[in-house]
Amino acid sequence: MSLDEQPAASTAPTDPESLQATVAELEQRLSTLEEAAEDPGEMVIISTKGSLDMAYPPLILASTAAAFGYDVTVFHTFWGLDILHEERSKQLQMSAVGNVSMPIPNVLAALPGMDRLTTWYMNRQMRTHDVATVEELIDVSLASGVDLQACQMTIELFGYDPDDFYEGVTTGVGAASAFQRMQSADIQLLI
Amino acid sequence: MSQEHDAVELDVTGLNCPMPVIQTSQAFADLGVGETLEVHATDPGSVSDIAGWADSTTEATLHEQTEEDAADGTVYVHRIERVA
């Protein structure tokens, strides 16, 4: 139905002044909605784990959200720092101990050298299935504007140097800056 | 001119989640309005992932997703137009 065909019985105001006021109000509401629609969503992930298997979820979600146009921050703290650490990120390990989804009994998984074997197996599986490496996911995240942050307190706690991290990683940030971003974010995750 | 000829091709065969959707969004950013991106992927998850991405991206319209048989398996072809 076109605008001219509005039913005569419509309750819309007909005098020019009220019409003008209605139009102004609607325009105001439209511009508010348009601004909200243009405003990209925001996601904050707190990444706390440094094992090979736990490095993937935050990086995959972060780079994917950036592809969706989201403004993404990943705040790495405690062992999550190792994901951003240039040397340590290439040697991330994982253990089958306590992991009931892996086919190795705990009593065997706890033997010396088993973590290295489990890690080797996982890395081989990832290569076979064309899964990107941690380093590739960091590169693609940084290139797509993800703010990868390394918690200053834990950098000092673990005796790391801010220069140990990949170029483009934000250092010198703490819980308050993470929390401030979480306040305004649409999605907040702890991994 | 047929649509087939304007399509910008993106080859993400051999890449797994999340790379197909990420490279799609990067290539899409360089498209002009009215241009079409044709993505070739071997990741079966790309069918759902690229559909979801296009659904959430107001500038993108996913026109079709087809499957082609290739020597080393199925290739999923996605045609996405930049509409704004």
Side-chain angles (χ1 to χ4, degrees):
Chain A
M1 185 165 58
S2 87
L3 282 176
D4 321 353
E5 290 165 6
Q6 285 288 342
S10 161
T11 53
T14 46
D15 64 291
E17 253 174 57
S18 326
L19 276 175
Q20 228 163 15
T22 309
V23 168
E25 192 206 323
L26 287 174
E27 275 178 347
Q28 177 62 41
R29 285 171 65 182
L30 180 64
S31 76
T32 311
L33 285 173
E34 276 175 348
E35 272 169 33
E38 279 167 24
D39 193 21
E42 205 178 326
M43 177 166 81
V44 177
I45 299 175
I46 311 296
S47 168
T48 64
K49 302 272 196 283
S51 59
L52 178 63
D53 50 334
M54 293 308 277
Y56 276 87
L59 289 173
I60 289 178
L61 279 174
S63 51
T64 302
F68 274 67
Y70 266 58
D71 191 354
V72 185
T73 303
V74 190
F75 183 78
H76 292 74
T77 186
F78 282 83
W79 292 276
L81 281 182
D82 284 1
I83 302 167
L84 302 182
H85 192 284
E86 215 167 340
E87 289 297 315
R88 297 180 68 91
S89 70
K90 292 167 187 144
Q91 299 151 20
L92 296 179
Q93 303 270 315
M94 65 176 289
S95 177
V97 174
N99 187 343
V100 290
S101 302
M102 295 199 85
I104 310 168
N106 278 342
V107 65
L108 293 180
L111 294 174
M114 282 303 284
D115 287 353
R116 200 171 293 183
L117 184 69
T118 308
T119 302
W120 169 84
Y121 171 78
M122 193 70 193
N123 274 323
R124 197 196 61 170
Q125 288 298 99
M126 298 233 203
R127 270 197 304 275
T128 310
H129 292 96
D130 302 317
V131 176
T133 64
V134 166
E135 196 176 2
E136 283 167 344
L137 287 171
I138 287 174
D139 285 346
V140 82
S141 296
L142 288 170
S144 46
V146 174
D147 188 5
L148 296 177
Q149 301 186 335
C151 164
Q152 189 61 32
M153 183 274 278
T154 38
I155 290 178
E156 287 164 26
L157 177 68
F158 290 159
Y160 295 156
D161 189 288
D163 296 335
D164 294 342
F165 298 93
Y166 285 95
E167 204 182 325
V169 167
T170 306
T171 54
V173 286
S177 47
F179 183 74
Q180 191 199 5
R181 296 216 183 173
M182 290 171 87
Q183 274 186 311
S184 61
D186 308 278
I187 301 170
Q188 305 94 349
L189 297 171
L190 172 72
I191 300 182
Chain B
M1 187 161 44
S2 81
Q3 263 200 329
E4 260 59 43
H5 291 114
D6 331 332
V8 176
E9 278 199 30
L10 173 68
D11 180 11
V12 290
T13 55
L15 297 180
N16 211 330
C17 174
M19 289 310 192
V21 94
I22 288 167
Q23 294 204 7
T24 296
S25 83
Q26 286 170 344
F28 184 80
D30 295 333
L31 282 193
V33 174
E35 283 188 301
T36 293
L37 182 67
E38 188 174 289
V39 184
H40 293 243
T42 45
D43 170 18
S46 68
V47 176
S48 161
D49 279 359
I50 289 179
W53 172 83
D55 195 39
S56 297
T57 307
T58 47
E59 298 88 0
T61 297
L62 178 64
H63 284 302
E64 58 175 348
Q65 295 182 302
T66 52
E67 293 180 18
E68 287 174 7
D69 288 326
D72 48 353
T74 308
V75 172
Y76 303 88
V77 182
H78 315 267
R79 291 181 63 87
I80 308 152
E81 185 189 343
R82 186 177 193 114
V83 291

